[in-house]
Amino acid sequence: MNRIAKLLVILNGAMAVWASLVFLVFLKLDLLSWVMLNTCSPTQFVTILALASKRRVVMNAVVPWLLFFGSGGLLVFSWSGYMLVAQASHLIMTATAVFILVVAVKERKFRTLATGMAIGVIALVPFRFYQDQFLSAHPELLRLWLGVE
């Protein structure tokens, strides 16, 4: 693993551990509610495993998740207060996705890139459907997360 990959593993790990601590310990959410409300942290944990394993298909499969939840988070959440920490995490996720894509293109692993991205999208779509259903059924989680009554 090169220095950039190691740095991304450390940064993703630090942000994922902190967010997990906030959601699981401070906010006292159960595991399913944590995954549905803070999908970034589980995505970052899987990304760490993918980078550490150096398995290209797995690395490429996390890219749609990193882009959707990381880059998407940059556009959805505010840039003030406690959300600044979340935005830092979203920036790290976006940088990790770019790194994985650059490595795949630089190494000319287009088939592996396409296969991994397809697997990632195929997993992401039903997850997002379930996540929307879950959060619609538990609006109190959204109020807790967004800090509104």
Side-chain angles (χ1 to χ4, degrees):
M1 190 178 337
N2 70 28
R3 286 189 292 180
I4 296 172
K6 286 179 185 175
L7 177 63
L8 291 170
V9 163
I10 291 167
L11 292 173
N12 276 294
M15 299 308 281
V17 166
W18 172 251
S20 299
L21 183 70
V22 168
F23 282 86
L24 293 170
V25 177
F26 300 144
L27 296 176
K28 296 180 171 94
L29 294 181
D30 61 88
L31 203 56
L32 180 59
S33 296
W34 166 67
V35 170
M36 293 298 119
L37 201 57
N38 179 238
T39 309
C40 292
S41 293
T43 298
Q44 288 173 302
F45 288 130
V46 172
T47 300
I48 290 166
L49 294 174
L51 289 170
S53 75
K54 299 180 185 176
R55 298 185 70 184
R56 299 294 184 208
V57 171
V58 179
M59 288 170 57
N60 295 326
V62 298
V63 169
W65 293 73
L66 291 168
L67 292 174
F68 187 85
F69 293 108
S71 303
L74 293 171
L75 304 172
V76 172
F77 299 104
S78 73
W79 284 83
S80 62
Y82 65 90
M83 290 308 280
L84 286 175
V85 176
Q87 292 294 40
S89 185
H90 296 146
L91 285 169
I92 293 165
M93 292 172 73
T94 302
T96 304
V98 170
F99 171 76
I100 292 169
L101 291 170
V102 167
V103 167
V105 170
K106 185 177 173 185
E107 294 178 355
R108 304 185 61 78
K109 302 282 188 181
F110 301 114
R111 185 176 306 236
T112 304
L113 176 61
T115 302
M117 295 280 285
I119 291 168
V121 169
I122 289 168
L124 180 60
V125 170
F127 173 82
R128 281 290 300 129
F129 177 76
Y130 179 75
Q131 184 182 41
D132 284 345
Q133 297 300 312
F134 182 87
L135 293 174
S136 292
H138 301 341
E140 71 281 1
L141 290 174
L142 289 175
R143 286 192 298 275
L144 172 73
W145 188 40
L146 298 174
V148 295
E149 290 299 319

